[in-house]
Amino acid sequence: MATLPDVTRQHTVLIIGAGTAGAAVASRLRRARPDLDIAIVDPSPFHYYQPAWTLVGGGQYSHEKTERRMASILPADVVHIQDRVAALMPDRNSLVLEDGGHLNYEFLVVAAGIQLNWNAIEGLPDALGKHGVSSNYRYDLAPYTWECVQNFTGGVALFTQPSGQIKCAGAPQKALYLTADALRKRTIRTDLRFYTAGAAMFGVPFYSKALEAVMAAYGAQACLGRELVAVDGPKKIAVFETLVDGLKHSEEISFDFLHVVPPQSAPDFIRDSTLADKAGWLDVDKFTLRHVRHANVFGIGDCTSTPNSKTAAAVKSQLPILVGNLLEALAGQAPNARYDGYAACPLTTSAGRVLLAEFSYSGVITPSLPLDPRVPRRLYWWLKKSFLPFFYWNILLKGRKLASFHRKRAFPDALPGIQP
Ligand code: FAD
């Protein structure tokens, strides 16, 4: 990785964000075009493998293994500008950095991820990391989740999911299942409750029904339409809002353990720019990943408007589309590769089994293997815990290619036997 020369303020391709999507784009582009001038802006000195944080919170993975120095994962000759983007100026092909400097580009790839809005829940920032309040959505907190589970001696364990889009929409309930499994093994009596602002366990009904069966197997209760709005850590009280006959109703629930997933949004610098759609996401064509108004801007990963599930698995499928279309654009051609909306969510139903939910745009069921994907399987646990981390660091982030096997397959309506 090259350091930034003092006055480099113009790049052919400028990438915002060196997370899953940005780092993979940098590597794939570098392999395709060794001569191309590429720079990547990201303030973080570290890169994280976030999908394993669920396993960390379930005592199944070491959190240190999910962190690597940025310098070790970016291609050697891609310029890393260690700063934060403060504002976008697409009409001038330019952007403003937090340090006040400007960067110009010919082509821009926005891969800034999703913003975690911890402050949107009153009292939450002060409560986190103590009083039995944790979240697998932070590197430093995921080990505390496991500490809480180990110290749990019985009582009420609450798991929350906010309204709106979040990354890995299955992760809030994965935390519940791994906790339930660990407590079941210790025969600890627990009142397990999943408080979600949503109207179902999962956005795709085919999988949602199977997940209801997993909840039932653990004797856990799903409380739908409940939004966490405040937390009192020392008193161990969580406040939820729900709509009753069109009116907001508030209820206080005492807890012994609380796992919180915060509300999320597009990053502020995108929301505040003309590149955003009405909801604040980077406004790209859902098939080509090119911006709908600026032909030299592309977007990938959690920050875009594409209506897929926000996951690293989606990034894996978007990557060849984005890079292919960007290379076409660099050559003055129209983009013609199309993303089908594929995403995957490995739901860790216990320490040992995973229900691998794979689907594409409009909830079309597109598993990679011809096996009923509603069945939690040991094979997918191995995939989640061993193969996918290897794949992430050595294939995806290195810009190497791996074939896709997912395709539309039909399954009977009746639920198969489900053993979490
Ligand atoms: P990120 O990887 O989050 O990267 C965004 C980058 O942008 C960061 O490096 C950040 O520093 C940078 N950035 C932000 N703002 C700025 C700015 N203003 N200027 C410059 N840089 C900026 N996915 C799966 O496929 N399977 C799973 O099982 C799974 N489980 C998950 C469990 C948890 C607990 C979590 C938190 C996530 C999980 N995910 C899972 C989701 C997956 O990690 C994300 O979807 C994926 O990392 C998205 O990649 P991204 O590049 O869009 O965002």
Side-chain angles (χ1 to χ4, degrees):
M1 186 185 59
T3 47
L4 177 69
D6 278 352
V7 285
T8 303
R9 290 295 176 207
Q10 164 82 33
H11 292 281
T12 309
V13 176
L14 184 57
I15 303 168
I16 304 176
T20 308
V25 168
S27 296
R28 182 70 81 100
L29 259 187
R30 173 51 75 233
R31 278 178 189 275
R33 286 279 305 272
D35 57 316
L36 194 63
D37 166 28
I38 309 168
I40 192 160
V41 197
D42 194 310
S44 176
F46 297 103
H47 179 103
Y48 297 95
Y49 179 56
Q50 302 169 50
W53 291 350
T54 306
L55 297 176
V56 173
Q60 297 294 320
Y61 207 84
S62 127
H63 87 302
E64 288 90 354
K65 277 169 63 184
T66 70
E67 181 187 66
R68 292 200 184 172
R69 294 206 74 84
M70 200 61 101
S72 72
I73 62 116
L74 290 176
D77 49 359
V78 164
V79 176
H80 178 201
I81 301 163
Q82 204 176 338
D83 205 334
R84 183 177 294 278
V85 174
L88 298 166
M89 297 189 298
D91 292 332
R92 293 192 215 164
N93 295 331
S94 185
L95 55 79
V96 186
L97 296 171
E98 213 166 54
D99 73 0
H102 286 65
L103 284 175
N104 299 334
Y105 56 82
E106 285 176 44
F107 288 87
L108 180 68
V109 178
V110 187
I114 200 164
Q115 183 171 291
L116 302 178
N117 298 319
W118 302 98
N119 289 319
I121 297 172
E122 191 189 325
L124 180 61
D126 288 340
L128 282 166
K130 40 192 190 280
H131 315 299
V133 182
S134 194
S135 178
N136 290 344
Y137 274 66
R138 253 174 48 186
Y139 172 74
D140 59 324
L141 288 173
Y144 183 62
T145 302
W146 180 233
E147 195 183 314
C148 291
V149 174
Q150 284 175 299
N151 294 335
F152 196 83
T153 52
V156 178
L158 298 183
F159 298 81
T160 73
Q161 176 160 348
S163 55
Q165 296 212 51
I166 61 170
K167 54 180 152 187
C168 195
Q173 61 191 287
K174 295 183 205 177
L176 185 151
Y177 302 142
L178 290 181
T179 301
D181 186 39
L183 296 176
R184 173 175 70 173
K185 285 175 181 148
R186 283 168 46 213
T187 59
I188 301 227
R189 285 169 68 87
T190 316
D191 179 354
L192 289 159
R193 299 191 213 163
F194 186 59
Y195 275 70
T196 171
M201 286 298 296
F202 201 71
V204 181
F206 177 79
Y207 292 116
S208 197
K209 286 186 204 130
L211 294 166
E212 283 168 20
V214 174
M215 290 285 284
Y218 282 120
Q221 194 187 340
C223 305
L224 308 177
R226 312 292 220 291
E227 181 94 61
L228 179 68
V229 293
V231 177
D232 185 330
K235 290 190 180 153
K236 291 186 171 259
I237 289 175
V239 184
F240 293 89
E241 266 182 11
T242 183
L243 279 181
V244 180
D245 298 330
L247 294 174
K248 267 189 191 164
H249 174 75
S250 156
E251 60 182 328
E252 293 189 354
I253 309 290
S254 295
F255 62 82
D256 298 284
F257 171 52
L258 173 65
H259 180 270
V260 181
V261 175
Q264 301 172 33
S265 67
D268 287 341
F269 79 93
I270 298 177
R271 291 166 68 85
D272 296 342
S273 80
T274 55
L275 290 181
D277 70 2
K278 282 196 182 109
W281 305 104
L282 188 86
D283 201 358
V284 297
D285 178 273
K286 72 176 191 175
F287 298 117
T288 64
L289 308 180
R290 183 154 88 164
H291 197 271
V292 294
R293 294 180 294 281
H294 293 268
N296 65 337
V297 177
F298 290 78
I300 181 167
D302 294 351
C303 67
T304 78
S305 59
T306 55
N308 56 275
S309 173
K310 295 186 183 299
T311 55
V315 169
K316 183 239 161 200
S317 270
Q318 292 171 349
L319 183 66
I321 309 299
L322 182 135
V323 171
N325 286 341
L326 177 54
L327 290 170
E328 294 284 343
L330 279 158
Q333 309 292 320
N336 54 41
R338 289 163 69 87
Y339 169 53
D340 65 1
Y342 174 81
C345 186
L347 288 128
T348 47
T349 55
S350 64
R353 287 181 201 265
V354 159
L355 182 161
L356 184 58
E358 295 177 271
F359 47 98
S360 300
Y361 280 144
S362 307
V364 176
I365 308 304
T366 50
S368 298
L369 298 179
L371 300 170
D372 192 321
R374 294 167 294 183
V375 177
R377 295 178 195 276
R378 292 193 186 282
L379 168 68
Y380 294 148
W381 174 259
W382 169 81
L383 186 90
K384 165 84 186 158
K385 193 171 168 182
S386 303
F387 177 73
L388 289 177
F390 171 84
F391 167 79
Y392 185 87
W393 296 114
N394 299 297
I395 297 176
L396 183 68
L397 287 197
K398 298 287 182 211
R400 297 192 171 105
K401 293 181 185 169
L402 187 80
S404 282
F405 305 102
H406 72 271
R407 62 180 177 83
K408 184 175 173 181
R409 300 177 201 269
F411 297 94
D413 281 345
L415 272 186
I418 287 175
Q419 181 79 41

